[in-house]
Amino acid sequence: YNCELDPVGSRSIIFAPGNYHITGGIVANGGGNITFGAGEYTIGGSGLMVTGGGRITVNNALLYIEAGELELTGTGLTRLFAPTSGPYTGISIFQSRTNATQMDIKGTSLTAGAGAIYGKAAKVSLVGNSGSANMQFVSDTFSMSGAATLELTGGANIVIFQSNLRLVE
């Protein structure tokens, strides 16, 4: 798709399983809802933004942020379930290794699911009352401020390899 996807108001976009390239970016703003079926989604342009009360659900898929930013703000809800097989097993969001744009999760947004958010060159920032449940982060730097929470617990089909924060050089 050679455009930016932004469902207006409380409208929804549902992707059938497959591989997609969205050159203009994806925005779920206000009450917009986007559901990604199994597959790989390459996102360019402005990247991926979930703002206001927007929500996204990723079912057994990888979101590859080729360009732009990852911003989850406001009261949005993000449910990420990574692929369970193939080369990207366990990775929900993969930001290009050369994209140093900060990855922000702020406000009262919640990110939950099973998988990792990978941003090799990026700073990941959890700010305000934002929270993350059962998500792992791989980044250049990681910061938390305000009442932000990071909860790692094991459960059915969720494997937590390391349940503490540590610095890796």
Side-chain angles (χ1 to χ4, degrees):
Y1 297 92
N2 192 19
C3 62
E4 179 179 85
L5 297 179
D6 184 359
V8 177
S10 61
R11 297 221 166 109
S12 296
I13 296 174
I14 300 173
F15 286 97
N19 297 329
Y20 297 86
H21 189 175
I22 298 122
T23 61
I26 297 175
V27 176
N29 188 5
N33 182 28
I34 302 174
T35 302
F36 299 89
E40 294 176 19
Y41 299 81
T42 300
I43 303 167
S46 59
L48 175 63
M49 291 180 275
V50 180
T51 64
R55 55 181 39 221
I56 65 169
T57 302
V58 179
N59 296 313
N60 198 27
L62 169 77
L63 302 182
Y64 175 70
I65 310 294
E66 180 178 58
E69 62 186 310
L70 173 67
E71 185 173 326
L72 311 174
T73 63
T75 59
L77 177 61
T78 306
R79 295 191 186 280
L80 305 170
F81 294 94
T84 56
S85 63
Y88 299 106
T89 298
I91 301 174
S92 298
I93 296 177
F94 188 111
Q95 183 167 292
S96 170
R97 289 183 174 103
T98 59
N99 185 349
T101 304
Q102 181 165 312
M103 303 168 98
D104 284 325
I105 301 172
K106 56 188 176 183
T108 57
S109 62
L110 173 67
T111 303
I117 295 177
Y118 177 93
K120 178 185 181 288
K123 175 182 180 180
V124 171
S125 179
L126 271 68
V127 178
N129 292 320
S130 64
S132 179
N134 290 326
M135 298 301 301
Q136 299 174 23
F137 296 90
V138 177
S139 61
D140 181 56
T141 58
F142 182 88
S143 69
M144 292 176 64
S145 61
T149 60
L150 176 63
E151 178 183 340
L152 298 175
T153 58
N157 299 322
I158 299 172
V159 178
I160 304 299
F161 296 104
Q162 188 69 35
S163 62
N164 59 8
L165 294 175
R166 63 187 176 141
L167 179 63
V168 179
E169 283 288 328

